[in-house]
Amino acid sequence: MKKAKILALLMAVAMIVAVLAACAAPPATDSSSGTPATPTPKQDTQTTEPADKKPEPITFTMFVAGPGEAPPASNKIVQKIKEITGVTIDFEFLVGDMEQKVGIMIASGDYPDFIGAGQARGRFLNAGSFAALDDYLPKYPNLWKHYEPYLDTLRSISADNKIYILDIWGRQYWLNDGQDDFYEGDYNGPAFWIQKDVLAWDGYSHPVKLDDFFDLLERYYKEHPTIDGQPTLPFEIHSQDWRSFCLKNAPQHLIGGRNEGDVVVHPDTLKVEIYQNKWYARDYYKKLNEVFKKGMIHPETFTRNYDQYLSVISTGRVLAMFDQQWNFQDGESVLVAEGKINRTYVPLGLSYDGTKYAYNRVRNEGIIGGNGMGISVKCKNIERAMEFMDALLREDVHRLMYWGIEGEDYYVDANGRYRRTPEQKANFDNPDWRLANAGAVIGDQFPKLEGRYSNGNACSPGNQPEERLENQFPYDKEFYQKYGFYSKSDFLPLIDHPGYPEVWSIFSTMEEDNIAKPIFDQITDLQNRYLPGVIMADDFDAAWEEYVKRYDSIDYPALEREIERQIQMRLKKK
Amino acid sequence: MSTRNLSSKNEFIRQVRKQKGLIIIAAPFFIYFFIFSYLPLWGLTMAFQNYKPQFSFFEQEWVGLRHFKNLFTDPDFYRVMRNTLGMSIINLALGFITAIGFALLINELTGKLYGFKRVVQTISYMPHFLSWIIVCGLVSNVLAMDDGILNELLLAFGLIKEKIHFMGRPDLFWWIVGFTNVWKSMGWNSIIYLAAITSIDPALYEAAAIDGYGRFGRMWHVTLPGIKSTIIILLILNAGWILNAGFEIQYILGTNGMVLDVSETIDIFVLKRGFGRTGGFAFGTAAGMFKSVVSAVVLILCNKIAGWLEEEKLV
């Protein structure tokens, strides 16, 4: 009798607890709706604690809205960083569709400690997922030094003018000794990327016109119908999900634009124009249609998912594609690891009329705002999180992540320069080795140093000039020498920054209910659905007309005006 | 009046006391259903709000039926409904015919072939346990243009002159989904029919044999009528799922521009709109709610129809 009573009581309690838990689940935390959490007085003393004291171990979770692979716990740099900071990062990289993954995360309010916002920055911002960092930043010397010149830029992306996202790229440190230019990194942005072997075969030519480019591919394809026994794929067009920029973004560059995304901005008037229905888009797709009919674009290119796309690139049989290097580099690094250097790619800045365009090779303007990560409102210990990021900006810790351990991964020569032996470099070129032994996978997700250390060395081996020259593969060295170039970046001219952020980044931080958003969804949907058909159409003109007719039924001028307004707003804020 | 109330109240308390043990046993299930099936219904209120996740329930803006109005005026909605119904009907028809046919055929393997029957049955229901990811990988390999076995076979037999780009053909997509479903679940679905067949009185077969019916005659006149009620019950049950044309296979194989028009089902639509870039949690909820209501109505309707036909009813 008594037992039954107790049992019933337990049940009732369990039920109440469960109900409360379920009710608490909606992400309606107060801190997200505006007022930033004020730092507790305790943390002021924390930063001044003696350095030799072993930090308490803590594990932070991190979601990264981009592809990647978490390093194993046995990774030696991961362990070193844990020794220094006490912090272990439990990564979750994006798998599958970003918008949906992020949507579910926001709906549940179940955030990790760190959020690598990537392209989902706007959605996280608008949902109030980030803790405001304005009051924290000044307390951490390295972070403060890193961001102090850019506070307004960091704030400019949020509606309430607070700092939520810390840019992880773009903050460069220079010594102004006349040598800085040699430390610029390799171009990894949008271009028509072509295999070096194709250019070499053509007597180290340098096509500039779109027609010449496809003509070269055709000639090469005729003589090389197979590569390593498998059929050659002269031109790939990747078109899955948000990566459909490979399909759609070329026309803006062909008339000399920077990578704004879905619009072209007139450089003088700052007038904005949607271009997927304009002549320069038509001419591009018409060219692709022509090339498709010649059998140079495999129809399966449109049904390949991202993994399949990388895998065909890694076989070395894709001659060229329009893409951004970071998007296909996982495929390319397989080619490097297998020593097929002649099958790796260089960028071409093609145009219709023979002008050599820079595409996105724009002089660095520092931090652009919103291109990074933040601390979530659910972070279990913001002070420790900031402390951790502050430590990552120490030169010694940074060196661990990007150069490795002295004597093991690199050595210091008589002049104090950081160098690597061919074996050490070979290790770094191997993606499997890197995952298990290098720290860049952590560094890439957090604020980091770029440019040069105070002792003059480059902040990452890839940018160390003598490294680049000496350890350049013999093939590459000879290849670039034929052109009188120093690296693949030199295929594109370098231009100045226009002063406003790229439109796609403006776009991704817009308010959720901005009028431009549904319009943008409509045109994205239309483009993804129709363009493959247009490229493969028997009758191009009819297919194009049908597509443009649909396009014109969308109110896209409203989107153009809205973006013009947004650009003006950013220019004013500066 | 008041005395009656009082007595019924006493009666209630007396009943509760008497059945205390039973109530305690039932409590966990009650709690389970309450938490996992009834509490989430609360979320349906989102469909009537301009829902924003950063606000609490009381700060949300109520918008009435706006999302439903948007839903029914959205051209995409009719497209995904067409796709859902199209694929659903293909799945239902193919699924039923193949599972019943398979059960009938395999049931004929008796005597010495009994061992063979078991092997076939086991092999045929194995794919049911494979994840859709694996199945879709297999499908796209089999149907690929480069080294896809189907294209190679068709070429070798001279049935086609040029390789077919199966995964990029909008007219084939529904059938690919249909036959993949058949491959995956035919064996599994036939189990229930086989079980029903075993309950048929063997004397009926003997009588039919004496009446001069051959194998197919017995199948037609004895086996099929014998499992008719099972078939109808399953049909009613499945009709309730008419708006569930599947999700995984369309999502994995159909997200490219070439077949997007015919591949999106209502589930993908709800996911895309609800959690996608436009971030319409509310809109997605409205679409999901519509789906549930239709499913319930169809289920009740089919049940009614079965009743009129004086067949087995579900409830």
Side-chain angles (χ1 to χ4, degrees):
Chain A
M1 192 70 190
K2 209 164 188 190
K3 252 188 194 156
K5 225 178 227 168
I6 291 169
L7 193 67
L9 193 73
L10 277 178
M11 286 290 182
V13 169
M15 189 172 147
I16 289 164
V17 167
V19 169
L20 285 179
C23 289
T29 48
D30 287 335
S31 53
S32 62
S33 53
T35 48
T38 40
T40 55
K42 182 179 151 260
Q43 53 135 125
D44 289 306
T45 53
Q46 246 178 12
T47 45
T48 53
E49 269 170 1
D52 55 298
K53 203 185 138 209
K54 266 241 161 182
E56 192 120 329
I58 184 168
T59 299
F60 285 117
T61 52
M62 179 169 200
F63 168 72
V64 179
E69 211 175 329
S74 59
N75 179 312
K76 64 182 180 193
I77 306 296
V78 169
Q79 287 180 337
K80 282 256 177 210
I81 286 175
K82 191 181 172 187
E83 265 170 45
I84 297 167
T85 62
V87 172
T88 311
I89 301 288
D90 183 5
F91 284 107
E92 184 193 356
F93 286 93
L94 177 72
V95 179
D97 186 278
M98 179 182 73
E99 301 292 352
Q100 286 153 17
K101 169 80 192 170
V102 171
I104 290 166
M105 196 178 279
I106 290 171
S108 69
D110 202 2
Y111 299 116
D113 299 311
F114 290 113
I115 299 173
Q119 304 256 32
R121 58 187 75 93
R123 300 200 62 198
F124 282 122
L125 270 180
N126 292 324
S129 319
F130 294 116
L133 301 175
D134 301 62
D135 297 334
Y136 291 97
L137 269 184
K139 304 199 162 82
Y140 300 91
N142 297 323
L143 280 170
W144 183 243
K145 180 180 158 207
H146 199 73
Y147 289 113
E148 204 234 26
Y150 298 99
L151 294 179
D152 288 338
T153 318
L154 294 179
R155 289 187 178 121
S156 74
I157 58 154
S158 70
D160 57 356
N161 223 25
K162 291 207 164 58
I163 298 173
Y164 294 107
I165 296 183
L166 298 176
D167 282 46
I168 55 177
W169 299 103
R171 174 68 162 106
Q172 305 189 327
Y173 294 83
W174 297 117
L175 301 181
N176 296 318
D177 57 355
Q179 306 279 313
D180 291 344
D181 272 355
F182 294 109
Y183 292 80
E184 285 275 354
D186 268 343
Y187 182 73
N188 69 351
F192 285 87
W193 291 86
I194 188 168
Q195 275 187 357
K196 291 164 189 161
D197 194 61
V198 180
L199 296 180
W201 171 84
D202 197 37
Y204 299 94
S205 64
H206 187 172
V208 181
K209 276 178 147 173
L210 185 71
D211 289 339
D212 297 345
F213 168 77
F214 279 113
D215 178 58
L216 168 59
L217 290 183
E218 192 178 349
R219 283 184 286 124
Y220 185 90
Y221 180 43
K222 267 198 188 122
E223 282 207 17
H224 306 80
T226 61
I227 287 172
D228 296 335
Q230 284 180 294
T232 305
L233 301 167
F235 194 71
E236 273 287 297
I237 305 168
H238 186 57
S239 62
Q240 284 249 313
D241 276 344
W242 60 276
R243 289 193 168 88
S244 57
F245 59 78
C246 305
L247 165 69
K248 298 181 297 201
N249 278 11
Q252 62 178 343
H253 300 299
L254 286 166
I255 59 157
R258 187 177 59 153
N259 179 25
E260 310 293 355
D262 292 271
V263 297
V264 163
V265 182
H266 193 279
D268 303 325
T269 60
L270 295 185
K271 281 254 173 270
V272 166
E273 172 176 286
I274 283 280
Y275 62 85
Q276 293 297 341
N277 57 350
K278 301 294 185 292
W279 68 268
Y280 43 100
R282 184 198 62 219
D283 284 7
Y284 177 62
Y285 298 124
K286 196 178 170 98
K287 187 77 205 173
L288 292 183
N289 179 265
E290 199 180 287
V291 171
F292 175 78
K293 284 177 182 157
K294 288 180 183 161
M296 287 165 61
I297 296 173
H298 197 290
E300 280 195 314
T301 195
F302 296 113
T303 48
R304 270 191 252 281
N305 63 31
Y306 183 55
D307 289 335
Q308 289 167 328
Y309 173 64
L310 290 182
S311 104
V312 291
I313 284 176
S314 69
T315 58
R317 60 200 180 103
V318 178
L319 299 185
M321 58 270 173
F322 177 82
D323 198 351
Q324 311 204 15
Q325 197 267 342
W326 54 262
N327 191 43
F328 67 83
Q329 69 180 359
D330 286 351
E332 196 180 27
S333 62
V334 175
L335 292 169
V336 173
E338 288 178 357
K340 295 179 184 168
I341 309 303
N342 61 332
R343 298 281 166 215
T344 57
Y345 298 87
V346 291
L348 294 177
L350 303 177
S351 65
Y352 287 119
D353 56 5
T355 323
K356 210 171 135 193
Y357 285 130
Y359 282 39
N360 244 39
R361 194 160 178 240
V362 178
R363 237 176 230 107
N364 189 288
E365 256 270 291
I367 277 168
I368 63 168
N371 190 19
M373 49 78 63
I375 294 178
S376 86
V377 287
K378 292 280 169 72
C379 179
K380 57 176 86 79
N381 189 337
I382 297 186
E383 289 82 27
R384 280 298 295 277
M386 292 295 279
E387 219 179 282
F388 172 68
M389 291 196 285
D390 196 60
L392 293 186
L393 291 176
R394 270 161 48 189
E395 283 195 5
D396 58 326
V397 178
H398 190 272
R399 198 157 41 230
L400 263 181
M401 290 193 295
Y402 283 91
W403 282 91
I405 297 170
E406 192 185 329
E408 275 179 47
D409 304 317
Y410 73 101
Y411 65 95
V412 183
D413 74 4
N415 302 318
R417 304 290 297 170
Y418 301 161
R419 307 296 294 274
R420 294 179 302 173
T421 62
E423 301 92 85
Q424 286 166 343
K425 181 161 191 291
N427 279 343
F428 261 85
D429 286 335
N430 178 350
D432 295 331
W433 184 92
R434 243 186 358 245
L435 189 65
N437 298 284
V441 62
I442 295 184
D444 284 352
Q445 311 309 335
F446 288 97
K448 67 183 71 57
L449 310 172
E450 288 173 73
R452 301 167 75 183
Y453 292 131
S454 51
N455 62 15
N457 285 293
C459 289
S460 79
N463 295 351
Q464 185 85 326
E466 54 266 58
E467 272 279 311
R468 285 170 72 178
L469 271 184
E470 261 177 42
N471 277 336
Q472 220 164 36
F473 294 106
Y475 180 93
D476 277 348
K477 200 177 288 181
E478 199 194 321
F479 183 85
Y480 295 134
Q481 260 166 16
K482 296 275 186 194
Y483 288 92
F485 289 162
Y486 167 59
S487 77
K488 63 181 171 190
S489 310
D490 298 331
F491 276 89
L492 303 171
L494 182 65
I495 55 166
D496 283 330
H497 199 281
Y500 56 88
E502 292 168 339
V503 171
W504 60 263
S505 80
I506 294 183
F507 201 89
S508 59
T509 50
M510 274 187 199
E511 288 273 315
E512 202 93 320
D513 45 8
N514 189 297
I515 54 149
K517 286 230 161 177
I519 304 175
F520 179 77
D521 280 348
Q522 275 178 312
I523 60 173
T524 306
D525 201 47
L526 181 77
Q527 287 158 190
N528 286 354
R529 190 160 298 176
Y530 270 82
L531 288 176
V534 165
I535 292 169
M536 296 194 296
D538 289 331
D539 180 357
F540 175 83
D541 292 324
W544 178 259
E545 225 166 82
E546 164 78 13
Y547 162 76
V548 169
K549 216 172 73 197
R550 303 234 166 201
Y551 215 106
D552 289 344
S553 70
I554 298 171
D555 183 23
Y556 62 83
L559 178 129
E560 294 173 340
R561 298 297 83 76
E562 173 61 19
I563 293 175
E564 276 165 12
R565 197 179 66 84
Q566 296 267 351
I567 290 177
Q568 293 301 340
M569 227 165 68
R570 317 264 151 157
L571 286 173
K572 242 177 255 155
K573 265 191 185 173
K574 281 217 159 171
Chain B
M1 194 70 187
S2 66
T3 46
R4 226 204 107 211
N5 244 345
L6 199 71
S7 71
S8 77
K9 209 174 171 186
N10 284 337
E11 173 75 6
F12 177 73
I13 291 170
R14 217 162 47 82
Q15 280 270 33
V16 167
R17 234 178 240 155
K18 215 167 94 189
Q19 302 178 355
K20 194 159 47 189
L22 293 176
I23 288 173
I24 289 172
I25 291 171
F29 302 101
F30 172 76
I31 293 168
Y32 172 85
F33 279 109
F34 184 71
I35 292 174
F36 291 104
S37 298
Y38 286 89
L39 264 190
L41 287 179
W42 180 250
L44 289 179
T45 52
M46 260 200 262
F48 307 99
Q49 299 168 336
N50 184 15
Y51 180 77
K52 291 198 170 157
Q54 64 266 44
F55 298 134
S56 80
F57 179 77
F58 300 100
E59 294 167 299
Q60 302 290 352
E61 176 198 347
W62 293 86
V63 295
L65 293 176
R66 193 172 84 194
H67 296 301
F68 289 93
K69 224 171 101 194
N70 289 345
L71 179 68
F72 296 131
T73 52
D74 191 330
D76 280 344
F77 173 69
Y78 294 98
R79 192 172 52 78
V80 300
M81 279 303 284
R82 180 201 68 192
N83 294 342
T84 308
L85 288 174
M87 277 184 267
S88 209
I89 289 168
I90 288 178
N91 285 347
L92 202 64
L94 279 181
F96 261 84
I97 294 168
T98 54
I100 295 169
F102 184 67
L104 288 178
L105 292 176
I106 207 171
N107 183 54
E108 295 299 316
L109 297 173
T110 45
K112 273 192 185 154
L113 287 171
Y114 189 70
F116 179 63
K117 171 187 169 179
R118 293 190 60 172
V119 171
V120 169
Q121 213 190 325
T122 308
I123 291 175
S124 71
Y125 74 64
M126 281 313 222
H128 174 79
F129 298 102
L130 289 180
S131 124
W132 272 111
I133 300 282
I134 297 170
V135 174
C136 291
L138 281 174
V139 169
S140 63
N141 277 342
V142 167
L143 300 182
M145 285 178 90
D146 290 342
D147 304 328
I149 188 162
L150 190 58
N151 267 318
E152 300 287 336
L153 279 178
L154 290 174
L155 267 184
F157 287 120
L159 293 172
I160 50 170
K161 288 198 182 68
E162 243 174 53
K163 288 188 175 176
I164 300 172
H165 186 204
F166 288 106
M167 300 316 301
R169 287 269 300 266
D171 53 333
L172 294 182
F173 188 80
W174 290 4
W175 296 101
I176 291 175
V177 171
F179 281 102
T180 308
N181 268 307
V182 165
W183 179 80
K184 193 172 186 300
S185 43
M186 177 183 74
W188 180 259
N189 291 342
S190 68
I191 291 176
I192 203 157
Y193 298 112
L194 282 169
I197 289 170
T198 55
S199 68
I200 297 172
D201 186 355
L204 288 173
Y205 287 101
E206 284 160 28
I210 292 166
D211 284 350
Y213 282 120
R215 278 206 159 188
F216 286 100
R218 272 176 288 172
M219 266 192 221
W220 187 255
H221 292 285
V222 181
T223 318
L224 264 183
I227 59 173
K228 198 172 82 177
S229 56
T230 311
I231 295 177
I232 286 173
I233 284 199
L234 284 180
L235 205 57
I236 295 172
L237 276 176
N238 281 324
W241 296 104
I242 191 85
L243 292 187
N244 287 47
F247 170 77
E248 292 98 331
I249 181 167
Q250 289 89 349
Y251 190 70
I252 299 167
L253 295 181
T255 42
N256 64 75
M258 298 176 68
V259 293
L260 211 56
D261 256 339
V262 295
S263 73
E264 274 183 329
T265 61
I266 188 154
D267 288 328
I268 296 178
F269 179 77
V270 169
L271 179 71
K272 267 194 172 171
R273 292 300 176 86
F275 294 110
R277 179 178 3 233
T278 352
F281 293 120
F283 185 80
T285 310
M289 198 165 152
F290 166 78
K291 193 189 138 191
S292 308
V293 170
V294 170
S295 295
V297 169
V298 171
L299 187 69
I300 293 166
L301 218 67
C302 284
N303 198 39
K304 273 265 157 60
I305 292 171
W308 292 332
L309 296 174
E310 297 189 5
E311 289 295 346
E312 300 281 330
K313 276 179 52 172
L314 196 62
V315 248

